Amino acid sequence: MPLNPRRLRRWFAAGAVCAIAISLAYYLYARLREIRSAQHVASALGIEVQQSTQGFTLSKSESGRTIFTVHASRAVQYKAGGRAELHNVSILIYGRRADRFDQISGDHFEYDPNSGDIIAHGEVAIDLEGNAQGPVRADQAAPVELKNPVHLKTSGLVFNQKTGAAATREKVEFRIPQASGSAVGAAYDSKANMLTLASQVVVQTQSGAIVLARHAIITQNPRQAVLQQARIQRPAADIDASRLTLYLREDNTVSRMVADGDVHGISHAVNTAQVAADHGDFLLGPKSELLSGVLSGAVKFLQEGPSPLNGSAARAALTFGPRNVLSHITATEDVRFAQQQRAAEKQAAQTVELASDALDLFLNASRLDHGVTGGAARISIRPQAPTATQGNTVITAGRFEMSFAADSRLHSLHGEPEARIVNSPPGQPEKISTSQTLDVAFNAPDGGVSSVMQRSNVRYVDGQRSAAANEATYTPGDENLVLTGSPRWMEAGGVTTARVLKLNRQTGDAFAEGDVKTTYRDSKPPSGGALLGGTEPIHVTAASMMASRNSDSATYSGSAGSGSARLWQGDNIVEAPVIEFDRTQRVLKARGNQQPVLTVLQQSSGKSSQSTVTVKSSSMSYYDLERRAIFQGSVLLKSTDGTISSDTAYVKLQPKSESQAKTSAQANQIEEIVAQGHVVVEQPSRRAVGNTMTYTAADEKYVVTGGFPSIFDAEHGITRGDSLTFFSRSDTVLVGSETPARTVTHTHTGK
């Protein structure tokens, strides 16, 4: 339970004051009993004055020690009925053990022998004082020093020596060095050994505490005091109970205090705090110090303010240290604690609730220091104003250990084993992360969760996505989950590893840094593909990766200045500073900067032979469903037939057959190449130049057009025309021209 220990200490200290006051009242009625017994003895010894007597004195002694003395300045007995009056009476009681020095005084007493009533007219003053040195000093010697006397005052006191009952309807007041008090009406039954304070019981201490009760009963057997509708008031806090029972030892000190019915405490601080329970039971030491206590039955706590707190439990056991300082709280059975957090810059207003089977809280210097849950425990984080993207988050573990800040607010939380975090955004799959341990850090001063760290066998699931690592750190402010220690991310047949993985739990975007490697596996690739149409896995390596959930695409980047990202399937390779791959649409885009894009294609040259085609360019885009690759910027294509350079090149591949798709990712076959802008085709025996070149693999034919195309052949010289057509494995050149005059052939003839 997140109780405020300083306020509780004040409430229980007020309870201790109440215990002291009732203990004194109990002692008072015991002394009154001795005094009234002395009056009865005096009557039995024959105080039957027939006329006015000046300076009347009576004493009683046993074993050479005076028990009491009674002095009246004047005693008058009336013959009619035998009634007697005593005036200016002073009674001094030493006790049978000579350890008392109690004094009683009053102006007017009346005794009726027929009824047995002894009636005090006017005020009666009583001073109760112990005399520890009395037994070893001379008889009737006054104490060397008066220490802590109890002063009492009342009027209308009636004592009946026949029944042993004494009562007054008037106000009874008492005063001690530490407190003063009063009640209206009192009754004492000597046979039942019971003292009743009829109403308006009030005790006020020097510390400022006030104890109030509607009614109080003090009994000898059992030795206890029962207060009805009791209240303890202090400047800082109040506590109420329908019934407060104090159990007394032989020396009239309180050993136990039990509160029943609507036990309620409230503070008067800027942020009001309240505690309530059905029942409270407290044990006290010999000096009225609190030792332990138990609150039970719907125990509740509430603190108002900008970040309100509330808690509840079926039972709370309390342990106290020196000076009544609360040191340990054990809450059991359906323990709950909730704190409302204000909105922060990057975090909406939330409610954080802890629920557990049991909770132990340890205090240091009157403030919460640390705590431990027992049994299953759960922390729920709920937005106070739910939105379309925010949902509830539940954190569970087999056990939580907590630490608190100086203001008793939750500072950190450690959970293990089997830690689990479940986030439930509206209309989306649950986001679940598990681990062996977790550590939660809270913001100051508002108390919101700042970070959650999970360690050992971390697993994260978000719909069809999942991740694993040795460590993971989640920050609610930006919704990022950072995984380290061999992290691994899985989604739609793809697996990504890196030194660091970062997943945004709200957007679904993923980021990877350091030795990034992704493997895509698709046992059933889309039909009609070519470069990415095989069943072999597609691999990507890079220095970093960024994946967007909305587009199902991932962007891979090489390290600055040197490294490149690399994607390959079988022997088909793409290397570039930046590679973007859309696994759903099977689209591949690569960009260069100071380093070019390198594409390596395995070209089928026949039924069994293959050749390698490499392409360098500033950028490359490949659309597998169209089987079309676009190379732009300083394009250089190399094959066994020669090289093609241009500003742009469009390469179309033949679709793979079903058997090719199942057996090999290397069986590519170029269907057509279209090169544009500053086209140069170089082969071992010729060099062709033009603005556009079209190559068709079916007939191995090259057609060069635009920009006054020309072909240089070492054997035939230079040939120009509006279009030039030649073949890979033939020396034949077909020249096309709109006018014959524009067709020029220069033939070199060897000597």
Side-chain angles (χ1 to χ4, degrees), residues 195-472:
L195 174 65
T196 301
L197 302 178
S199 64
Q200 301 181 39
V201 180
V202 179
V203 179
Q204 185 167 5
T205 69
Q206 285 187 343
S207 64
I210 300 175
V211 182
L212 306 175
R214 182 177 59 82
H215 183 77
I217 297 176
I218 305 170
T219 60
Q220 179 70 20
N221 188 21
R223 301 179 64 83
Q224 65 181 32
V226 180
L227 285 72
Q228 301 293 338
Q229 298 300 321
R231 165 173 285 192
I232 303 172
Q233 295 179 335
R234 289 181 60 86
D238 296 343
I239 188 166
D240 296 87
S242 298
R243 176 187 174 98
L244 181 63
T245 303
L246 306 176
Y247 295 89
L248 308 174
R249 300 184 181 92
E250 289 296 328
D251 60 356
N252 294 326
T253 58
V254 180
S255 63
R256 182 184 176 196
M257 183 168 59
V258 177
D260 288 297
D262 297 328
V263 181
H264 180 258
I266 183 170
S267 72
H268 303 307
V270 176
N271 298 328
T272 301
Q274 301 182 54
V275 63
D278 294 337
H279 181 80
D281 193 338
F282 301 90
L283 296 179
L284 289 83
K287 296 182 180 180
S288 299
E289 71 274 18
L290 285 166
L291 301 178
S292 63
V294 175
L295 296 174
S296 59
V299 181
K300 296 180 181 178
F301 174 79
L302 173 65
Q303 179 176 302
E304 301 175 355
S307 299
L309 306 172
N310 65 83
S312 63
R315 176 185 172 91
L318 314 174
T319 303
F320 299 87
R323 300 181 181 178
N324 296 329
V325 175
L326 186 62
S327 61
H328 183 198
I329 303 172
T330 300
T332 55
E333 301 178 41
D334 195 22
V335 180
R336 294 181 181 274
F337 159 59
Q339 179 185 38
Q340 296 181 21
Q341 304 162 2
R342 292 172 291 180
E345 181 179 354
K346 296 182 179 181
Q347 181 172 291
Q350 296 177 327
T351 297
V352 177
E353 180 181 291
L354 168 67
S356 64
D357 296 336
L359 175 62
D360 279 284
L361 296 174
F362 300 88
L363 297 90
N364 183 16
S366 301
R367 72 171 183 85
L368 286 172
D369 184 76
H370 65 283
V372 179
T373 63
R378 180 180 71 253
I379 295 175
S380 300
I381 304 174
R382 298 189 300 270
Q384 295 177 20
T387 65
T389 58
Q390 288 185 319
N392 296 338
T393 299
V394 177
I395 305 174
T396 58
R399 168 188 170 99
F400 283 115
E401 297 177 0
M402 296 159 284
S403 66
F404 295 87
D407 58 357
S408 294
R409 287 183 177 271
L410 198 57
H411 176 260
S412 64
L413 188 76
H414 175 78
E416 66 173 287
E418 299 178 358
R420 179 182 176 92
I421 303 175
V422 179
N423 178 255
S424 304
Q428 300 181 30
E430 287 187 336
K431 298 175 174 64
I432 303 172
S433 59
T434 60
S435 61
Q436 283 301 303
T437 68
L438 68 80
D439 289 276
V440 182
F442 292 83
N443 288 316
D446 298 329
V449 175
S450 62
S451 65
V452 180
M453 176 172 282
Q454 295 180 266
R455 293 183 176 90
S456 184
N457 196 27
V458 179
R459 296 289 184 271
Y460 173 72
V461 177
D462 178 4
Q464 299 301 314
R465 317 172 94 198
S466 62
N470 291 328
E471 292 187 1

Side-chain angles (χ1 to χ4, degrees), residues 8 28 52 189 209 228 358 379 506 510 533 565 636 685 698:
L8 281 178
L28 169 61
S52 175
D189 185 342
Q228 301 293 338
I379 295 175
Q506 182 174 349
L636 178 62
S685 60

